[in-house]
Amino acid sequence: MPFWPSPITTTDVASSGTRPAWPTARDGRVWWAEDRPDEGGRTTIMRSGPDGVRELLPAPWSARTRVHEYGGRPYAVTPGGEVVFANLKDQRLYLLGDDSEPRPLTPEGSRYADLLVRDGQVWCVREHHGNGGRVSRAIVSVPLDGGDVRERVTGSDFYASPSLSPDGRHLAYVCWNHPRMPWDGTELRVLSLDGGGSRTLKGGPSESVLAPAWNGDAGLYLISDASGWWNLYEIGLHGDGLRALHPAEEEFTSPPWTLGGAPYTVLPDGRLAVLHGRGDLRLGVLDPASGSLTDLDLPYSGWDASLTAAGTSVVGIAYAPTAPRSVVTVDTTTATHHTLNTPLVALPDPAYLPPATSVRILRTGDRTPEDRAPAGRVELRRPAHDVTAASEELERGEIHAFRYPPYAAAVEEGKSPYVIFVHGGPTGHATTGLDLEKAFLTSRGIGVLDVNYGGSTGYGRAYRERLKGQWGVVDVEDVVAAARWLAAEGLADPTKIAVRGGSAGGWTVMAACCRSDAFAGGVSYYGVSALAPLAAHTHDFESRYVEWLVGPENAQVYAGREPLNLVDGVTCPMLLLQGLDDPVVPPEQSEAFAEALSDRGVPCTYLAFEGESHGFRRTETRAAALAAELAFYQQIF
């Protein structure tokens, strides 16, 4: 089928990856990190102030940390306005002043993240890779004026969120150990810097405690999912006086895949600027004394979990279906707001930017009370040796998704083709932020359904734990149910539905094509095709993740889940795209699946890109991958 002509090009989409992140407000100025795909994926540091917006970090420097491989906040600002940052090439910390060459603060051989500058020192998480691949972490302090790095906290596998009390006597932090991930179970601890040792205030193996912030010298705020939802609490310095500030069946943070998040911030009058919601997070002001929460009337559908206070204003990264992620400052008393950064790519006519509609789908004959959506009944080819088939309870699960309709003028008579987007993680979630990849398709007459399958965050602990032990079952059933729903609603031509995803989303794409005939084709970006190699070779942060997702290594169970073992079930064409420098999902995963399809005579295109890691960052790579994807849809639709 010929697609509708669109003004949105592959270069527009590839260049739109310029994303601001990690704002910091201090003394009337705001700093943030900003990705530059047109500079090979370099991350620079920007500053807005009385002298306008200025780029502080020149090429070839790149502020990006590789702690946990996913990184996080790569910089911090000193009281004097200098910047401490982690340099991508050597992972050392450097001090950057105005119009000066960065000066190294740490020796080579370690990585640093979650930076905090206090009392002439940088407090942060250090990750060290030793001989034999052994990885260790600690919370350390690094003198700004030179000197040795000092270990402050050791003994746990992972650390996050170091925070000093106002009087400098106590250090709060979050820690956890293998095999848990930070959304499974963590502990909030406080260390006495006077030599009094450390104690656990809250958390454990089945409670995720995140984002501590001091409430004076004798107490802390924190986020815990003890209620089943990530809610805000306060607690005393000795674990006393625990109190929920605003109990709600909503999330007050996002999953901590990266270090350095700040889902709330304390305002000068003691109130908290907070993010909360289901799916997308909206901005509100919470009074800790009364528990009242007032949302601010703003034209954004969501915010990244990274806030910073600037007097009575708050600065964060906001987005909407028709507005790119932007550094936005909001006056919390008047809700007046303005954008600090300027996107490098001009947006197309708003008519080409699709609105997002939230939908809920049931996988049975029932309908949801809100939208009365018909079910997406699931019938999968299940291997006889899969001993962990989904239960009836799982098959009745509700599915959350966002629908983006095709551009009206591009829709011919009859039903439209659709592409189902599957996010990575899998403990992540899709948001409604402007995504020119989606607009690239919808403007050409292809609808998009972005699925937050069971296991996604944003909908409480029970929803994300639907995937526990069920990876390759629940996620697959949910995306297949979503395809059936599109057809049953009359939204999509059932013969013209494709599925695409990256990383863990790529696993779901491959598994769904192995076990269902619902799709006309599948597109996998650096997807997982086999479990044992993933568990053996992936990085330390996720090295035990498969145990939670599927279970301890078991040949029979693994064989029933792995796309590479189920490849005989694939009957539709596939496109596989892979970075050759990927440390998370090595190229062998995609290569093996492509070879298996080729051996069976199933149409498959495999494209590998030198110099790309887990997530394509270069403009030329992103443009080439998207061009290949569009050509693929042209063929299968």
Side-chain angles (χ1 to χ4, degrees), residues 132-383:
R134 184 179 180 275
V135 182
S136 62
R137 297 175 186 83
I139 294 179
V140 301
S141 58
V142 180
L144 286 174
D145 58 0
D148 295 334
V149 177
R150 179 179 176 184
E151 288 189 347
R152 299 289 185 158
V153 181
T154 61
S156 295
D157 292 331
F158 300 96
Y159 294 97
S161 304
S163 180
L164 280 172
S165 59
D167 62 8
R169 297 180 57 196
H170 294 93
L171 174 71
Y173 60 93
V174 170
C175 61
W176 68 97
N177 291 308
H178 281 307
R180 298 191 299 274
M181 300 296 282
W183 42 84
D184 298 329
T186 63
E187 296 179 10
L188 168 61
R189 293 184 181 175
V190 170
L191 170 71
S192 171
L193 296 175
D194 296 333
S198 66
R199 55 183 172 272
T200 299
L201 300 190
K202 189 161 176 56
S206 58
E207 179 185 1
S208 174
V209 179
L210 305 170
W214 286 93
N215 176 20
D217 292 322
L220 292 123
Y221 297 117
L222 60 98
I223 291 176
S224 166
D225 70 351
S227 69
W229 299 82
W230 273 317
N231 279 194
L232 267 164
Y233 295 80
E234 65 177 359
I235 195 170
L237 182 58
H238 300 281
D240 54 310
L242 179 68
R243 183 173 71 93
L245 300 184
H246 185 86
E249 290 189 348
E250 292 185 326
E251 305 281 47
F252 281 71
T253 189
S254 297
W257 279 100
T258 57
L259 294 175
Y264 65 96
T265 187
V266 183
L267 299 171
D269 61 5
R271 297 178 302 159
L272 306 179
V274 304
L275 300 176
H276 68 108
R278 294 192 181 196
D280 290 317
L281 301 178
R282 58 191 182 275
L283 179 64
V285 177
L286 173 63
D287 182 350
S290 66
S292 65
L293 174 57
T294 304
D295 286 339
L296 300 175
D297 185 14
L298 298 165
Y300 307 107
S301 60
W303 295 73
D304 291 349
S306 185
L307 299 179
T308 180
T312 61
S313 295
V314 61
V315 183
I317 308 297
Y319 58 80
T322 57
R325 277 177 164 79
S326 302
V327 184
V328 176
T329 179
V330 180
D331 189 311
T332 57
T333 59
T334 65
T336 56
H337 56 91
H338 65 277
T339 301
L340 299 182
N341 67 311
T342 302
L344 298 184
V345 176
L347 293 180
D349 185 327
Y352 287 99
L353 301 178
T357 302
S358 177
V359 299
R360 295 166 60 196
I361 305 165
L362 293 182
R363 293 190 295 175
T364 71
D366 299 332
R367 296 167 181 259
T368 62
E370 287 84 356
D371 51 31
R372 309 300 293 173
R377 187 170 296 279
V378 181
E379 295 179 3
L380 299 180
R381 295 186 291 269
R382 190 184 304 282

Side-chain angles (χ1 to χ4, degrees), residues 3 21 55 61 87 134 149 151 236 242 300 349 377-378 397-398 443 456 488 495 516 523 530 552 605 617:
F3 293 139
E55 181 178 355
W61 296 94
N87 183 47
R134 184 179 180 275
V149 177
E151 288 189 347
L242 179 68
Y300 307 107
D349 185 327
R377 187 170 296 279
V378 181
E398 183 180 79
S443 64
S456 302
T495 68
S516 171
V523 179
T605 299
R617 300 177 66 88

Side-chain angles (χ1 to χ4, degrees), residues 99-138:
D99 303 316
S100 64
E101 186 74 7
R103 174 172 64 85
L105 296 177
T106 58
E108 294 188 41
S110 295
R111 307 173 181 182
Y112 304 86
D114 226 344
L115 313 182
L116 165 72
V117 177
R118 274 282 303 274
D119 304 329
Q121 300 185 87
V122 185
W123 299 75
C124 57
V125 175
R126 183 187 68 187
E127 179 180 274
H128 182 72
H129 293 246
N131 295 330
R134 184 179 180 275
V135 182
S136 62
R137 297 175 186 83

